[in-house]
Amino acid sequence: MFYLHGIDPSFNGAFFAGAFVRSFQLGSLYALIALGYTMVYGIIRLINFAHGEVFMVGAFAAYFLFSRTPMAWPVAVVVALVVTYGFMQILNFWRGRMTDPLVLAGGGVAFLVVAVALASTRLGWLAAMVASMFITGVLGVTIDKVAYKPLRGAPRNSMLITAIAVSFFLQNFGILAFSNRQTPFRPPSFFTGPLQFGVLGETLYTSWMVVLVPVVTAVLVVGLTLFVTRTRLGKAMRATAQDAETARMMGVNVDRVIATTFLLGSMLAAAAGVMWGMTFGSINQPAIFGILPGIKAFAAAVIGGIGSLPGAVVGGVLLGFLENFLTALLPRTHAFAGITEYKDTFAFLAMIVILLVRPSGIVGEDLSEKV
Amino acid sequence: MSTVKGAATPAAAGYRPHYTANRLRNTLLSLGGMVVLVLLLALVDGGDSIKLKQVLALFAIWGIATVSLNLVNGVTGILSLGHHGFMLIGGYATGLLILPAAQRENIAASARSSLSDFAIGLSVENWARALGLEALAAPETIWARFLIALFIGGLLAAAFGVVVGFPSLRLRGDYLAIVTFAFGEAIRLLASTPMMSSFTNGALGFAGVPTGFGKSLWWTFGLLSITVFVMARLKYSSYGRALQGIREDEIAAEAMGVNTSYHKVLAFAISAFFAGVSGGLYVSWVGTARLDLFLFFLTFYYLVAISVGGTGSVTGALIGTALVVVVRQYGDPLEEAYPLSTWLVALGCVLLATALVAYLVRRHRRTRPTAGPLVWVPLALGAAAVAFGVFGAGATALQREWQGFGMRAITLSILLIAIMILRPAGVMGRREFTWSGLFRERLDEPTDEERRQDAWLTNPELAASLAQGVDDEDDDDGATASGGAVG
């Protein structure tokens, strides 16, 4: 970085450390969303255009649980019904041959956490996050059931158009339900509160969110990996991703596996949505909130190799760095004024280049074209 | 009307011999249709309903874009989602090229780019002056400048269409769709960058574009007619056949000697050109060029129109556009404020309709039991909602008013999902509206082979058995081809 010397005094160790942690934070969020894209694509070869909107619903659902204003009783009843229904759905998934005590216990504990924590205010943020994950997971399953399941055998383009329609539906449903305006999203002061540490003699002021987001992401990713590799349903998922027809013949309930995929992907997106709101302090209009993170996370999934779980994480983190670190590296001279306004296009350009050069992505397997 | 050679007796019941198209009648009908359309436009243009004029102009503008998107999405079978980007390019270019000088200087003054001086000089008027064509720079010849600007905007969009078309050489299906979407969004993001804001004035856009053209029925419908004519001719030209071949099976088309790369890029370029023209008209319709005019919702509306009308059908695209425009422009009642009880009743009615549709579909598909959960769940919920809304209308909680922002778009997306699930081919399928199709005629002469088959089918000895309903095993298409639309 020889050219940086003497250009701008703000280019110091703390500056780069700050850019590094922020890039990692953003990359973790992208990775969480990208996991949903990559899982759905891996199983049914569908680019779930509505995933960005699922992310939006996750954030807004959490906002409504976050807000300390007392909930109107009909809303509370609806929320309770939805959460209960979601819990019953999950029970349904793991009923019968798919019974997995570990997961079932996990689901039960999660539900208890929601129930208990919703009542208290201390753990309100965690409760809101988990509840939002549940609600959004149910939404994902519902989308699959209503819009995608009837089209299983249809041409790929019809499924894609349907996904676009679902995305558009959710955008406008967001306007309807949450009203189309910028919404402040205030996490507990503990998380936005200052975190400072010294880097090369300079002090970096940042917030606990830069720690929380990667940690929560890591926990969720490890949980997902354990689920996919250690449980029967995870094995069924892998089998379906390999070859749905054969898996069906081997006794795998493919529809249930697909529903589980949507459930997990949507839950991760909801977690990302909540943390997105906490990170940036606000969630903007529901009509556009999901689009840019969604498309960028898709780009991340493509860059990493769509269909591959590690690929999504790698791609997400890489995109976070590409977007945040690259713009931080560029010197603040007049020639580069306003360069940050190009950062959104980086994601698109990176995706287009990767698609053209290596469509299977960095980690992805070789997707040679089949006749 | 000429009967088939060698047919001694009328055909067996249910069978109609070939008729070739009555070209004179078809031409007269077409001419009559045009006259009626022109009279209708004149009536609306002279009438005092501004709303109707606006709706028709918007129909024409969006129709141009839909019909052009249909070339890529329907005829060539490539799902392109970047149409709003092409429209943006055409719209901004057209707007900038006919913008009055004062507005252009305003834009340049607010921008921070070194391109500002260039942007100030950028107008058809200045070019005409530089070339010594004072007549073209006069205020009353703005229509000519608009036409030139529209053409340049279209060409610029077509150039971007070529760029977007290139990934289609390597990528298929979903990947290509996402790349076109990314291009469309990237164009929008680029238009808001500081570099381009001396042209585009950043995200704010610029006002002051002359609105005389986008709101004029003669201009918009004239350009729509040209687009429809070009697209319809193109569909049945050798190019169109090649594009349809690519849609059906790319590898087979390549093996048959179709240069698929060339044709795909060509389809993108032509489609983008008309999208650019449509964008220019759209900007002139609104009077401003803003980034939020060219969001993805445009492409979504065109997708709805194409899917409803029938993928690959020009007339279908127009039918779909009409539906979209009507829902959009006359959908105000959907978004007004009503008491909650009214909304409950409406929701209940929608649920009841869903139950009815589900029941009909299940009966049509012979699904047993006919009334599954998909029928009785919406039925019960709908009935409950209606009852609750009707009998609880007096309750204070249900008298609160609630405004349904976004209902129009929600209606359209539900419609699209329903169509994709229930009738993926759309209203027209891949067929076109033709007079011959309306009268169940063939457009072409039957071949000798078909004549022989018809003679065989209209054999009086066989006719008796056909009338009795004895089914022949050899039930191929030649025997049942009794006209119908050609597509």
Side-chain angles (χ1 to χ4, degrees):
Chain A
M1 299 299 136
F2 59 94
Y3 62 89
L4 298 176
H5 288 292
I7 289 181
D8 192 329
S10 69
F11 279 112
N12 53 31
F15 178 81
F16 282 111
F20 185 88
V21 289
R22 274 198 307 277
S23 306
F24 200 71
Q25 186 188 7
L26 187 66
S28 310
L29 294 174
Y30 284 149
L32 274 185
I33 313 171
L35 279 168
Y37 277 109
T38 215
M39 280 163 71
V40 168
Y41 192 87
I43 301 270
I44 54 171
R45 299 275 177 271
L46 163 75
I47 293 173
N48 186 9
F49 254 100
H51 197 63
E53 276 61 44
V54 169
F55 159 84
M56 176 273 288
V57 171
F60 274 88
Y63 167 74
F64 269 83
L65 299 171
F66 259 129
S67 57
R68 296 289 160 78
T69 51
M71 232 182 263
W73 66 264
V75 180
V77 166
V78 168
V79 168
L81 277 177
V82 167
V83 172
T84 316
Y85 175 73
F87 186 61
M88 281 163 63
Q89 279 283 357
I90 292 163
L91 277 181
N92 260 337
F93 286 139
W94 290 298
R95 211 168 51 185
R97 290 189 46 165
M98 289 289 187
T99 303
D100 192 327
L102 230 167
V103 178
L104 195 58
V109 169
F111 186 63
L112 279 178
V113 168
V114 174
V116 171
L118 262 181
S120 73
T121 47
R122 291 291 291 231
L123 279 174
W125 70 273
L126 178 68
M129 186 160 155
V130 177
S132 160
M133 281 169 77
F134 270 85
I135 293 169
T136 314
V138 174
L139 175 76
V141 176
T142 314
I143 291 172
D144 171 51
K145 213 163 195 169
V146 172
Y148 300 151
K149 199 176 161 194
L151 286 166
R152 287 277 194 265
R156 301 261 292 275
N157 274 4
S158 327
M159 285 187 81
L160 209 56
I161 291 176
T162 311
I164 295 168
V166 172
S167 139
F168 211 70
F169 173 84
L170 288 177
Q171 282 173 24
N172 288 284
F173 181 78
I175 299 177
L176 201 63
F178 310 126
S179 104
N180 206 11
R181 58 160 184 260
Q182 190 98 6
T183 312
F185 197 100
R186 294 204 183 83
S189 53
F190 173 69
F191 293 108
T192 46
L195 165 71
Q196 41 186 298
F197 52 90
V199 184
L200 300 173
E202 309 278 344
T203 315
L204 169 66
Y205 295 94
T206 178
S207 74
W208 277 100
M209 282 307 293
V210 300
V211 180
L212 179 81
V213 172
V215 166
V216 172
T217 302
V219 168
L220 289 175
V221 168
V222 167
L224 181 71
T225 314
L226 284 179
F227 178 83
V228 170
T229 52
R230 297 290 171 85
T231 62
R232 288 177 69 93
L233 201 51
K235 195 186 245 180
M237 273 171 78
R238 281 180 288 146
T240 312
Q242 283 275 326
D243 187 340
E245 261 329 289
T246 315
R248 197 189 293 274
M249 277 190 268
M250 292 299 177
V252 172
N253 187 341
V254 172
D255 280 334
R256 186 181 293 172
V257 168
I258 295 171
T260 314
T261 311
F262 273 93
L263 178 85
L264 294 178
S266 308
M267 286 173 93
L268 294 177
V274 178
M275 291 196 291
W276 187 285
M278 284 160 74
T279 302
F280 297 104
S282 76
I283 43 182
N284 58 17
Q285 306 157 351
I288 57 169
F289 183 61
I291 296 176
L292 216 52
I295 185 86
K296 280 188 195 161
F298 176 76
V302 167
I303 289 170
I306 195 155
S308 133
L309 295 185
V313 177
V314 169
V317 173
L318 200 67
L319 192 67
F321 272 89
L322 199 67
E323 191 179 309
N324 213 332
F325 211 60
L326 215 61
T327 43
L329 271 183
L330 290 168
R332 299 282 187 281
T333 60
H334 182 68
F336 287 95
I339 194 77
T340 48
E341 292 181 41
Y342 293 89
K343 72 181 164 63
D344 289 340
T345 46
F346 281 160
F348 295 121
L349 291 180
M351 178 178 72
I352 291 168
V353 168
I354 282 275
L355 273 175
L356 289 175
V357 176
R358 189 177 150 82
S360 56
I362 296 170
V363 191
E365 68 214 66
D366 187 29
L367 301 164
S368 49
E369 283 172 7
K370 287 177 192 154
V371 177
Chain B
M1 276 203 202
S2 64
T3 47
V4 179
K5 246 187 280 176
T9 56
Y15 172 73
R16 296 178 63 182
H18 299 299
Y19 298 111
T20 50
N22 187 339
R23 286 174 193 280
L24 179 67
R25 186 205 56 206
N26 288 354
T27 315
L28 286 178
L29 279 173
S30 301
L31 286 175
M34 283 181 211
V35 169
V36 167
L37 181 68
V38 169
L39 283 179
L40 216 69
L41 287 184
L43 205 66
V44 173
D45 200 38
D48 46 2
S49 168
I50 293 169
K51 175 89 175 170
L52 193 58
K53 264 185 243 180
Q54 293 261 3
V55 168
L56 282 180
L58 189 64
F59 164 75
I61 294 168
W62 283 9
I64 295 172
T66 315
V67 168
S68 63
L69 183 64
N70 186 46
L71 181 72
V72 175
N73 279 18
V75 177
T76 320
I78 301 171
L79 188 57
S80 159
L81 303 174
H83 222 55
H84 58 296
F86 300 138
M87 274 186 79
L88 185 149
I89 292 167
Y92 267 95
T94 309
L96 198 64
L97 287 176
I98 59 161
L99 204 64
Q103 265 92 338
R104 264 178 289 122
E105 276 164 20
N106 280 345
I107 297 173
S110 63
R112 336 164 224 173
S113 163
S114 52
L115 293 166
S116 298
D117 290 338
F118 177 60
I120 293 174
L122 204 64
S123 84
V124 181
E125 200 179 334
N126 285 355
W127 296 345
R129 289 235 172 75
L131 291 171
L133 300 168
E134 284 299 327
L136 199 57
E140 60 272 9
T141 53
I142 182 150
W143 61 270
R145 293 203 292 279
F146 180 69
L147 212 55
I148 294 170
L150 212 53
F151 191 70
I152 294 173
L155 285 185
L156 213 58
F160 269 84
V162 171
V163 173
V164 180
F166 270 114
S168 72
L169 310 183
R170 264 192 72 108
L171 301 170
R172 303 262 153 84
D174 316 343
Y175 284 107
L176 186 59
I178 210 85
V179 164
T180 53
F181 178 74
F183 264 115
E185 291 296 298
I187 288 171
R188 209 160 52 77
L189 290 170
L190 278 178
S192 65
T193 54
M195 189 181 77
M196 294 303 292
S197 39
S198 44
F199 300 102
T200 60
N201 200 21
L204 295 170
F206 50 82
V209 183
T211 53
F213 305 101
K215 284 184 177 165
S216 148
L217 291 183
W218 303 114
W219 272 85
T220 49
F221 270 82
L223 286 163
L224 174 68
S225 319
I226 294 172
T227 313
V228 168
F229 179 76
V230 169
M231 289 299 168
R233 297 293 291 183
L234 191 67
K235 188 175 165 187
Y236 294 111
S237 70
S238 63
Y239 287 107
R241 298 280 177 203
L243 296 180
Q244 293 181 50
I246 291 172
R247 175 186 68 199
E248 296 306 331
D249 190 334
E250 201 172 326
I251 291 156
E254 184 88 59
M256 296 301 285
V258 174
N259 185 348
T260 49
S261 322
Y262 171 74
H263 280 92
K264 281 200 249 177
V265 174
L266 186 77
F268 264 103
I270 295 174
S271 170
F273 176 83
F274 285 105
V277 169
S278 164
L281 280 170
Y282 193 45
V283 162
S284 172
W285 188 68
V286 184
T288 62
R290 294 192 313 268
L291 282 187
D292 60 346
L293 288 177
F294 298 101
L295 297 178
F296 181 68
F297 83 93
L298 279 181
T299 304
F300 175 76
Y301 281 170
Y302 306 150
L303 268 184
V304 176
I306 292 175
S307 309
V308 170
T311 325
S313 164
V314 176
T315 36
L318 290 178
I319 293 171
T321 313
L323 180 105
V324 168
V325 170
V326 164
V327 170
R328 186 183 158 81
Q329 294 299 97
Y330 288 106
D332 298 338
L334 286 176
E335 304 201 346
E336 273 166 24
Y338 297 106
L340 278 176
S341 58
T342 313
W343 281 111
L344 259 180
V345 173
L347 179 74
C349 289
V350 169
L351 283 170
L352 289 178
T354 312
L356 182 68
V357 168
Y359 172 75
L360 290 176
V361 166
R362 288 173 82 92
R363 202 178 65 173
H364 178 73
R365 291 186 181 160
R366 296 190 164 75
T367 312
R368 291 287 176 271
T370 324
L374 201 64
V375 175
W376 56 258
V377 169
L379 190 71
L381 285 177
V386 169
F388 202 50
V390 169
F391 294 114
T396 42
L398 290 183
Q399 279 176 343
R400 275 225 327 262
E401 292 210 329
W402 185 68
Q403 194 155 19
F405 288 119
M407 273 315 235
R408 278 181 270 212
I410 286 181
T411 310
L412 283 177
S413 23
I414 291 177
L415 190 77
L416 183 52
I417 295 172
I419 286 207
M420 277 296 144
I421 291 171
L422 298 175
R423 192 178 161 81
V427 176
M428 298 293 288
R430 279 174 189 165
R431 291 168 299 151
E432 295 291 349
F433 172 81
T434 54
W435 297 115
S436 295
L438 197 68
F439 292 103
R440 297 177 170 278
E441 289 173 345
R442 285 176 62 118
L443 284 178
D444 55 338
E445 288 282 330
T447 60
D448 287 348
E449 172 65 24
E450 285 168 335
R451 280 184 201 284
R452 265 201 300 284
Q453 284 176 351
D454 291 338
W456 179 80
L457 254 186
T458 48
N459 185 349
E461 290 167 25
L462 196 66
S465 66
L466 276 176
Q468 283 167 18
V470 177
D471 212 4
D472 200 299
E473 273 188 347
D474 187 24
D475 189 23
D476 62 0
D477 290 340
T480 50
S482 58
V486 179

